[in-house]
Short mmCIF file of all heavy atoms in Angstrom, two decimals:
data_model
loop_
_atom_site.label_atom_id
_atom_site.label_comp_id
_atom_site.label_asym_id
_atom_site.label_seq_id
_atom_site.Cartn_x
_atom_site.Cartn_y
_atom_site.Cartn_z
N ILE O 1 109.46 98.11 87.65
CA ILE O 1 109.57 99.50 87.98
C ILE O 1 109.45 100.33 86.78
O ILE O 1 110.01 99.96 85.80
CB ILE O 1 110.87 99.69 88.81
CG1 ILE O 1 112.11 99.32 88.00
CG2 ILE O 1 110.86 98.98 90.16
CD1 ILE O 1 113.37 99.74 88.64
N HIS O 2 108.70 101.35 86.87
CA HIS O 2 108.47 102.30 85.72
C HIS O 2 109.34 103.53 86.00
O HIS O 2 109.15 104.16 87.03
CB HIS O 2 107.02 102.57 85.61
CG HIS O 2 106.21 101.37 85.30
ND1 HIS O 2 105.48 101.18 84.16
CD2 HIS O 2 105.93 100.32 86.09
CE1 HIS O 2 104.86 100.08 84.17
NE2 HIS O 2 105.12 99.46 85.40
N THR O 3 110.22 103.84 85.12
CA THR O 3 111.20 105.04 85.30
C THR O 3 111.07 106.03 84.23
O THR O 3 110.75 105.68 83.05
CB THR O 3 112.60 104.50 85.45
OG1 THR O 3 112.99 103.83 84.21
CG2 THR O 3 112.72 103.51 86.64
N LEU O 4 111.50 107.23 84.53
CA LEU O 4 111.65 108.32 83.52
C LEU O 4 113.09 108.71 83.48
O LEU O 4 113.71 109.03 84.47
CB LEU O 4 110.78 109.51 84.01
CG LEU O 4 110.78 110.73 83.08
CD1 LEU O 4 110.11 110.44 81.81
CD2 LEU O 4 110.23 111.94 83.85
N SER O 5 113.67 108.56 82.23
CA SER O 5 115.08 108.88 82.10
C SER O 5 115.30 109.82 80.96
O SER O 5 114.50 109.92 79.95
CB SER O 5 115.87 107.62 81.63
OG SER O 5 115.75 106.57 82.56
N ALA O 6 116.28 110.76 81.12
CA ALA O 6 116.67 111.72 80.06
C ALA O 6 117.31 111.01 78.87
O ALA O 6 118.10 110.09 79.05
CB ALA O 6 117.51 112.85 80.66
N LEU O 7 116.93 111.42 77.71
CA LEU O 7 117.59 110.92 76.52
C LEU O 7 118.97 111.52 76.45
O LEU O 7 119.27 112.59 76.97
CB LEU O 7 116.86 111.28 75.23
CG LEU O 7 115.47 110.61 75.17
CD1 LEU O 7 114.65 111.32 73.99
CD2 LEU O 7 115.59 109.13 74.97
N ASP O 8 119.92 110.77 75.79
CA ASP O 8 121.30 111.16 75.77
C ASP O 8 121.48 112.37 74.79
O ASP O 8 121.43 112.14 73.50
CB ASP O 8 122.15 109.96 75.31
CG ASP O 8 123.70 110.24 75.40
OD1 ASP O 8 124.04 111.38 75.57
OD2 ASP O 8 124.39 109.24 75.23
N GLU O 9 121.67 113.55 75.29
CA GLU O 9 121.82 114.70 74.45
C GLU O 9 123.07 114.67 73.58
O GLU O 9 123.05 115.23 72.47
CB GLU O 9 121.84 115.99 75.34
CG GLU O 9 120.45 116.24 75.88
CD GLU O 9 120.52 117.55 76.84
OE1 GLU O 9 121.50 118.27 76.74
OE2 GLU O 9 119.55 117.74 77.55
N ALA O 10 124.11 113.94 74.08
CA ALA O 10 125.34 113.81 73.28
C ALA O 10 125.09 113.01 72.02
O ALA O 10 125.88 113.08 71.02
CB ALA O 10 126.41 113.09 74.08
N ARG O 11 124.02 112.26 72.01
CA ARG O 11 123.66 111.46 70.76
C ARG O 11 122.54 112.06 70.01
O ARG O 11 121.82 111.41 69.25
CB ARG O 11 123.44 109.97 71.11
CG ARG O 11 124.55 109.34 71.64
CD ARG O 11 124.33 107.93 71.92
NE ARG O 11 125.51 107.19 72.31
CZ ARG O 11 125.65 105.88 72.39
NH1 ARG O 11 124.62 105.13 72.06
NH2 ARG O 11 126.77 105.36 72.73
N GLY O 12 122.22 113.32 70.34
CA GLY O 12 121.14 114.05 69.60
C GLY O 12 119.74 113.92 70.26
O GLY O 12 118.74 114.41 69.67
N GLY O 13 119.65 113.23 71.39
CA GLY O 13 118.40 113.10 72.05
C GLY O 13 117.91 114.38 72.71
O GLY O 13 118.66 115.18 73.22
N VAL O 14 116.62 114.57 72.67
CA VAL O 14 115.98 115.73 73.30
C VAL O 14 114.72 115.18 74.18
O VAL O 14 113.91 114.48 73.57
CB VAL O 14 115.50 116.79 72.34
CG1 VAL O 14 114.77 117.85 72.98
CG2 VAL O 14 116.68 117.35 71.55
N GLY O 15 114.63 115.46 75.40
CA GLY O 15 113.45 115.09 76.18
C GLY O 15 113.78 113.78 77.05
O GLY O 15 114.90 113.63 77.48
N HIS O 16 112.74 113.09 77.25
CA HIS O 16 112.81 111.90 78.21
C HIS O 16 112.19 110.71 77.55
O HIS O 16 111.40 110.81 76.61
CB HIS O 16 112.11 112.32 79.49
CG HIS O 16 112.78 113.36 80.20
ND1 HIS O 16 112.66 114.69 80.02
CD2 HIS O 16 113.68 113.30 81.29
CE1 HIS O 16 113.34 115.45 80.74
NE2 HIS O 16 113.98 114.61 81.57
N THR O 17 112.39 109.51 78.26
CA THR O 17 111.79 108.24 77.86
C THR O 17 111.33 107.55 79.09
O THR O 17 111.92 107.69 80.16
CB THR O 17 112.70 107.38 76.98
OG1 THR O 17 111.99 106.29 76.55
CG2 THR O 17 113.98 106.93 77.85
N VAL O 18 110.24 106.80 78.91
CA VAL O 18 109.70 105.99 79.99
C VAL O 18 110.10 104.59 79.74
O VAL O 18 109.98 104.11 78.63
CB VAL O 18 108.22 106.20 80.10
CG1 VAL O 18 107.64 105.15 81.21
CG2 VAL O 18 107.76 107.58 80.44
N GLN O 19 110.67 103.91 80.75
CA GLN O 19 111.07 102.51 80.59
C GLN O 19 110.50 101.70 81.73
O GLN O 19 110.18 102.16 82.80
CB GLN O 19 112.59 102.39 80.62
CG GLN O 19 113.29 103.11 79.45
CD GLN O 19 114.78 103.11 79.55
OE1 GLN O 19 115.33 103.52 80.49
NE2 GLN O 19 115.40 102.65 78.53
N ILE O 20 110.29 100.41 81.41
CA ILE O 20 109.92 99.39 82.46
C ILE O 20 110.95 98.42 82.53
O ILE O 20 111.38 97.79 81.55
CB ILE O 20 108.55 98.71 81.99
CG1 ILE O 20 107.43 99.72 81.81
CG2 ILE O 20 108.15 97.64 83.01
CD1 ILE O 20 106.18 99.12 81.22
N HIS O 21 111.39 98.20 83.78
CA HIS O 21 112.48 97.21 84.12
C HIS O 21 111.83 96.21 85.05
O HIS O 21 110.96 96.52 85.90
CB HIS O 21 113.67 97.87 84.79
CG HIS O 21 114.24 99.05 84.02
ND1 HIS O 21 114.96 98.82 82.92
CD2 HIS O 21 114.15 100.33 84.18
CE1 HIS O 21 115.37 99.98 82.39
NE2 HIS O 21 114.85 100.90 83.18
N LYS O 22 112.23 94.94 84.90
CA LYS O 22 111.73 93.89 85.82
C LYS O 22 112.87 93.36 86.72
O LYS O 22 114.02 93.06 86.24
CB LYS O 22 111.29 92.77 84.96
CG LYS O 22 110.01 93.24 84.15
CD LYS O 22 109.42 92.17 83.29
CE LYS O 22 108.28 92.67 82.44
NZ LYS O 22 107.74 91.63 81.58
N ILE O 23 112.53 93.23 87.99
CA ILE O 23 113.42 92.58 88.97
C ILE O 23 112.84 91.32 89.35
O ILE O 23 111.69 91.24 89.93
CB ILE O 23 113.54 93.46 90.21
CG1 ILE O 23 113.97 94.94 89.90
CG2 ILE O 23 114.60 92.88 91.18
CD1 ILE O 23 113.89 95.88 90.99
N LYS O 24 113.46 90.24 88.95
CA LYS O 24 112.90 88.84 89.16
C LYS O 24 113.56 88.10 90.28
O LYS O 24 114.72 88.36 90.59
CB LYS O 24 113.06 88.03 87.82
CG LYS O 24 112.33 88.72 86.56
CD LYS O 24 112.58 87.82 85.38
CE LYS O 24 111.83 88.54 84.20
NZ LYS O 24 111.86 87.81 83.04
N GLY O 25 112.84 87.26 90.89
CA GLY O 25 113.32 86.39 91.97
C GLY O 25 112.26 85.88 92.88
O GLY O 25 111.16 86.47 92.97
N THR O 26 112.50 84.77 93.50
CA THR O 26 111.60 84.15 94.40
C THR O 26 111.25 85.08 95.52
O THR O 26 112.10 85.58 96.17
CB THR O 26 112.13 82.79 94.93
OG1 THR O 26 112.35 81.97 93.76
CG2 THR O 26 111.05 82.09 95.82
N GLY O 27 109.96 85.32 95.76
CA GLY O 27 109.51 86.22 96.98
C GLY O 27 109.66 87.63 96.60
O GLY O 27 109.45 88.45 97.47
N MET O 28 109.99 88.01 95.42
CA MET O 28 110.26 89.37 95.02
C MET O 28 109.04 90.27 95.21
O MET O 28 109.07 91.36 95.75
CB MET O 28 110.83 89.45 93.64
CG MET O 28 111.41 90.74 93.35
SD MET O 28 112.80 91.27 94.44
CE MET O 28 114.08 90.13 94.04
N ALA O 29 107.85 89.77 94.77
CA ALA O 29 106.68 90.58 94.74
C ALA O 29 106.24 91.06 96.17
O ALA O 29 105.63 92.05 96.36
CB ALA O 29 105.51 89.89 94.09
N GLU O 30 106.58 90.24 97.18
CA GLU O 30 106.24 90.67 98.55
C GLU O 30 107.45 90.95 99.41
O GLU O 30 107.41 90.97 100.60
CB GLU O 30 105.51 89.43 99.23
CG GLU O 30 104.08 89.27 98.75
CD GLU O 30 103.89 87.86 98.21
OE1 GLU O 30 104.74 87.01 98.35
OE2 GLU O 30 102.85 87.63 97.57
N SER O 31 108.57 91.34 98.76
CA SER O 31 109.80 91.61 99.43
C SER O 31 109.88 93.00 100.04
O SER O 31 109.15 93.85 99.71
CB SER O 31 111.07 91.42 98.51
OG SER O 31 110.99 92.45 97.54
N ALA O 32 110.86 93.14 100.94
CA ALA O 32 111.16 94.44 101.49
C ALA O 32 111.55 95.47 100.45
O ALA O 32 111.21 96.63 100.52
CB ALA O 32 112.21 94.35 102.61
N LEU O 33 112.22 94.94 99.42
CA LEU O 33 112.60 95.91 98.36
C LEU O 33 111.35 96.41 97.59
O LEU O 33 111.32 97.59 97.28
CB LEU O 33 113.46 95.08 97.25
CG LEU O 33 113.82 95.88 96.01
CD1 LEU O 33 114.65 97.11 96.41
CD2 LEU O 33 114.62 95.04 95.06
N ALA O 34 110.36 95.59 97.38
CA ALA O 34 109.11 96.14 96.77
C ALA O 34 108.51 97.19 97.63
O ALA O 34 108.09 98.20 97.12
CB ALA O 34 108.17 94.93 96.56
N GLU O 35 108.44 97.06 99.02
CA GLU O 35 107.90 98.04 99.88
C GLU O 35 108.76 99.32 99.87
O GLU O 35 108.20 100.41 99.88
CB GLU O 35 107.80 97.47 101.30
CG GLU O 35 106.71 96.36 101.39
CD GLU O 35 105.38 96.77 100.86
OE1 GLU O 35 104.87 97.85 101.19
OE2 GLU O 35 104.72 95.99 100.08
N ASN O 36 110.05 99.15 99.86
CA ASN O 36 110.98 100.40 99.84
C ASN O 36 110.78 101.11 98.49
O ASN O 36 110.77 102.34 98.50
CB ASN O 36 112.39 99.92 100.01
CG ASN O 36 112.71 99.51 101.44
OD1 ASN O 36 111.95 99.86 102.37
ND2 ASN O 36 113.76 98.75 101.60
N LEU O 37 110.66 100.38 97.42
CA LEU O 37 110.42 101.04 96.10
C LEU O 37 109.08 101.79 96.12
O LEU O 37 109.03 102.89 95.53
CB LEU O 37 110.53 100.07 94.99
CG LEU O 37 111.99 99.55 94.67
CD1 LEU O 37 112.02 98.41 93.75
CD2 LEU O 37 112.79 100.69 94.10
N LYS O 38 108.13 101.18 96.59
CA LYS O 38 106.79 101.82 96.67
C LYS O 38 106.84 103.17 97.37
O LYS O 38 106.30 104.27 96.98
CB LYS O 38 105.72 100.95 97.33
CG LYS O 38 105.31 99.81 96.48
CD LYS O 38 104.34 98.99 97.27
CE LYS O 38 103.97 97.65 96.63
NZ LYS O 38 103.00 96.85 97.42
N ARG O 39 107.68 103.22 98.48
CA ARG O 39 107.80 104.50 99.26
C ARG O 39 108.66 105.51 98.47
O ARG O 39 108.70 106.72 98.78
CB ARG O 39 108.41 104.21 100.55
CG ARG O 39 107.43 103.54 101.52
CD ARG O 39 107.90 103.54 103.02
NE ARG O 39 109.04 102.61 103.14
CZ ARG O 39 108.83 101.31 103.39
NH1 ARG O 39 107.68 100.78 103.49
NH2 ARG O 39 109.92 100.51 103.54
N ALA O 40 109.51 105.00 97.53
CA ALA O 40 110.41 105.92 96.80
C ALA O 40 109.82 106.40 95.47
O ALA O 40 110.56 107.11 94.71
CB ALA O 40 111.64 105.09 96.42
N VAL O 41 108.60 106.12 95.19
CA VAL O 41 107.96 106.67 93.93
C VAL O 41 108.10 108.21 93.93
O VAL O 41 107.76 108.84 94.92
CB VAL O 41 106.49 106.23 93.74
CG1 VAL O 41 105.77 106.96 92.66
CG2 VAL O 41 106.47 104.70 93.55
N GLY O 42 108.46 108.77 92.83
CA GLY O 42 108.70 110.20 92.66
C GLY O 42 110.14 110.66 93.01
O GLY O 42 110.51 111.81 92.73
N LYS O 43 110.92 109.73 93.49
CA LYS O 43 112.39 110.02 93.83
C LYS O 43 113.29 109.52 92.74
O LYS O 43 112.96 108.62 91.92
CB LYS O 43 112.71 109.45 95.16
CG LYS O 43 111.87 110.02 96.31
CD LYS O 43 112.24 109.40 97.60
CE LYS O 43 111.35 109.99 98.71
NZ LYS O 43 111.63 109.31 100.02
N ASP O 44 114.55 109.98 92.76
CA ASP O 44 115.57 109.47 91.84
C ASP O 44 116.12 108.13 92.46
O ASP O 44 116.25 108.04 93.69
CB ASP O 44 116.63 110.41 91.68
CG ASP O 44 116.23 111.69 90.84
OD1 ASP O 44 115.37 111.53 90.00
OD2 ASP O 44 116.73 112.71 91.10
N ILE O 45 116.42 107.18 91.56
CA ILE O 45 117.01 105.92 91.98
C ILE O 45 118.26 105.73 91.04
O ILE O 45 118.40 106.25 90.01
CB ILE O 45 116.02 104.76 91.83
CG1 ILE O 45 115.51 104.56 90.41
CG2 ILE O 45 114.87 104.90 92.83
CD1 ILE O 45 114.78 103.33 90.18
N ASN O 46 119.11 104.84 91.55
CA ASN O 46 120.32 104.48 90.80
C ASN O 46 120.13 102.96 90.48
O ASN O 46 119.79 102.12 91.32
CB ASN O 46 121.57 104.59 91.49
CG ASN O 46 121.76 106.09 91.86
OD1 ASN O 46 121.53 106.91 91.03
ND2 ASN O 46 122.24 106.39 93.12
N MET O 47 120.45 102.56 89.21
CA MET O 47 120.21 101.22 88.78
C MET O 47 121.63 100.69 88.15
O MET O 47 122.28 101.43 87.56
CB MET O 47 119.19 101.14 87.65
CG MET O 47 117.81 101.56 88.19
SD MET O 47 116.60 101.53 86.85
CE MET O 47 117.15 103.03 85.94
#
């Protein structure tokens, strides 16, 4: 999953960063989670 997060302004950050996170597991690539995430592109998520 490719995400856009705000930098921590309390630590002097300004702007945003792009991060890639991996969710691993058997059957994950064809899972219902993968389909739900595809439909959620452009929305906010909690991790």
Side-chain angles (χ1 to χ4, degrees):
I1 60 173
H2 299 244
T3 61
L4 179 70
S5 303
L7 294 172
D8 188 351
E9 292 179 12
R11 294 185 174 191
V14 176
H16 294 81
T17 185
V18 175
Q19 297 176 305
I20 299 172
H21 304 286
K22 296 178 181 180
I23 307 169
K24 299 179 180 185
T26 303
M28 196 57 68
E30 288 124 9
S31 67
L33 176 60
E35 293 306 313
N36 288 338
L37 286 167
K38 287 177 186 178
R39 288 190 290 274
V41 169
K43 298 179 182 175
D44 290 329
I45 59 171
N46 298 319
M47 299 174 288

